[in-house]
Amino acid sequence: MAPFITVKDVAREAGVSTATVSRVLNNTGPVGPETRTRIEAAIEQLGYHPNVVAQELVRGRSSVVGVLTQHNSTPFYGDILSGITDGLQGTAYQPLFAHGFWSSEKEHAALKLLISRRVDALIVLAGEIPDLDLLGLSERIPLVVVARVVKGLEKRCLRADNVQGGHLATRHLLDLGHRRIVHITGHLHSPLQLDAHDRLQGYRKALQEAGVDPRPEWVVEGDFTEASGHRAIVSLLQQEVQFSAVFAANDQMAYGARLALQQHGLQVPEAVSLVGYDDLTMSGYTLPPLTTVRQPAVKMGKAAARLVLSVLNKTRATLPAFTNELIVRQSTSKRPF
């Protein structure tokens, strides 16, 4: 096994002090050109590889961006994480992920862990941590927020217009002649769950514009999982609620809803039209392929990476506007009755 080469070995080979070698490695002080050349030649000759962790400690930075996500198995957040990774690729920074699982306590613990790793900045994806806590944290470390707006930190928050997205989905069903449109929402228990609240607002807005009175029984709360979409449809059918279309607040709940409809002999779209939200990769391959609202998750992740880099480099950044797009596939058709 080759011997472990140290700074002392380089200093001995170059005929200088270890402090001088450190100044060259860390670029922390002036070194004459001839001395620098000797040190660089010694490094190459000996095959010395600097201790990156030690270097970053000397420089006071880690070259790591901490990312607090909710759950990496959620496809939407997975796409955002892919965008963040792509956005940091080729730069001096690498992402370090921690998960909060939609729990304020676990999110605080995850942030504590990231900060203990001396991350240079943080990207926070949605979550339950109060605005005031995030605002206070932003005074200690550069912070960017995705899929949520923090009061007082609006210029560092990236989010698509979910009211517009909910309106798009519902308007599509209305244009097909549907009037009894069910909406399966995401979490509504927390005011911080803005995605669910905003998509519900867009749904109600579209119905009101069409002169349709939104009935309370048409709105069923889910939790963004396939199982909750399935439960919602089963509950509606058991209560004999009449409907010809379903707008689910994400694609995962739409998958569960479609299964429940099929199990009860209701074909999509012949009996019930179905719209999801997010345009996950799988949605183009379901039976039938799912009509959905495409939310630019990967672009949002890349934009978050660019924004955090601009904050770290103290350069000006413009917040991009994210546009949702209706993707029409075979899960919707004109009202059958």
Side-chain angles (χ1 to χ4, degrees):
M1 181 181 292
F4 183 73
I5 305 301
T6 67
V7 170
K8 289 183 179 179
D9 297 321
V10 175
R12 186 182 305 112
E13 180 69 23
V16 299
S17 68
T18 55
T20 303
V21 175
S22 294
R23 285 199 296 273
V24 170
L25 291 172
N26 298 311
N27 197 27
T28 55
V31 177
E34 292 184 4
T35 302
R36 181 179 292 274
T37 298
R38 286 207 315 276
I39 292 171
E40 290 173 346
I43 290 172
E44 183 175 357
Q45 180 180 339
L46 295 173
Y48 171 73
H49 297 286
N51 185 323
V52 175
V53 173
Q55 278 189 316
E56 300 301 359
L57 288 173
V58 169
R59 295 174 187 173
R61 62 181 177 83
S62 65
S63 294
V64 174
V65 174
V67 182
L68 172 61
T69 184
Q70 296 310 316
H71 203 305
N72 61 357
S73 66
T74 302
F76 173 70
Y77 288 106
D79 286 347
I80 293 179
L81 297 183
S82 294
I84 291 172
T85 301
D86 290 347
L88 294 177
Q89 190 171 9
T91 73
Y93 294 91
Q94 294 291 328
L96 176 63
F97 303 114
H99 308 291
F101 303 101
W102 291 107
S103 161
S104 179
E105 182 180 351
K106 291 179 180 178
E107 288 170 25
H108 275 103
L111 284 176
K112 185 177 180 180
L113 173 65
L114 290 171
I115 292 170
S116 74
R117 299 297 180 90
R118 299 175 61 87
V119 297
D120 293 332
L122 288 167
I123 298 175
V124 174
L125 276 57
E128 293 286 336
I129 295 179
D131 284 3
L132 283 177
D133 290 359
L134 291 178
L135 191 58
L137 184 60
S138 72
E139 296 174 356
R140 297 168 46 199
I141 185 170
L143 176 67
V144 168
V145 180
V146 184
R148 175 177 167 184
V149 176
V150 175
K151 292 181 180 178
L153 203 63
E154 290 86 355
K155 292 184 178 180
R156 293 189 185 176
C157 295
L158 300 170
R159 188 166 176 264
D161 186 346
N162 285 285
V163 176
Q164 177 252 354
H167 187 277
L168 266 180
T170 311
R171 182 73 257 173
H172 171 65
L173 294 170
L174 289 164
D175 288 344
L176 290 172
H178 296 278
R179 291 298 180 268
R180 296 176 178 268
I181 303 171
V182 161
H183 179 41
I184 307 174
T185 76
H187 298 280
L188 296 177
H189 67 277
S190 168
L192 297 177
Q193 299 280 354
L194 291 179
D195 289 359
H197 288 278
D198 285 358
R199 291 169 198 178
L200 174 59
Q201 182 181 339
Y203 160 81
R204 286 173 170 162
K205 179 181 178 183
L207 290 182
Q208 290 167 353
E209 289 175 351
V212 177
D213 185 23
R215 298 185 182 180
E217 63 268 25
W218 292 350
V219 176
V220 184
E221 183 174 359
D223 60 14
F224 288 125
T225 65
E226 293 88 346
S228 70
H230 187 279
R231 287 194 301 270
I233 294 300
V234 171
S235 174
L236 288 165
L237 294 175
Q238 288 176 343
Q239 296 175 61
E240 299 184 352
V241 175
Q242 298 297 309
F243 60 94
S244 66
V246 175
F247 163 39
N250 75 344
D251 286 359
Q252 290 172 263
M253 291 194 296
Y255 303 156
R258 188 202 61 80
L259 176 60
L261 290 167
Q262 183 182 38
Q263 290 172 335
H264 287 77
L266 297 170
Q267 297 302 311
V268 175
E270 291 81 4
V272 178
S273 285
L274 179 63
V275 178
Y277 202 107
D278 287 336
D279 191 29
L280 302 179
T281 301
M282 181 181 173
S283 295
Y285 299 93
T286 57
L287 288 175
L290 183 66
T291 295
T292 183
V293 174
R294 177 178 293 165
Q295 191 172 197
V298 174
K299 289 183 179 179
M300 291 168 69
K302 289 182 179 179
R306 288 195 299 269
L307 180 56
V308 84
L309 290 172
S310 72
V311 175
L312 285 166
N313 296 325
K314 295 181 171 57
T315 58
R316 181 176 297 180
T318 302
L319 295 183
F322 298 107
T323 303
N324 296 307
E325 180 184 1
L326 180 69
I327 306 300
V328 179
R329 297 193 179 102
Q330 285 77 54
S331 69
T332 52
S333 64
K334 289 185 177 180
R335 181 170 61 93
F337 55 83

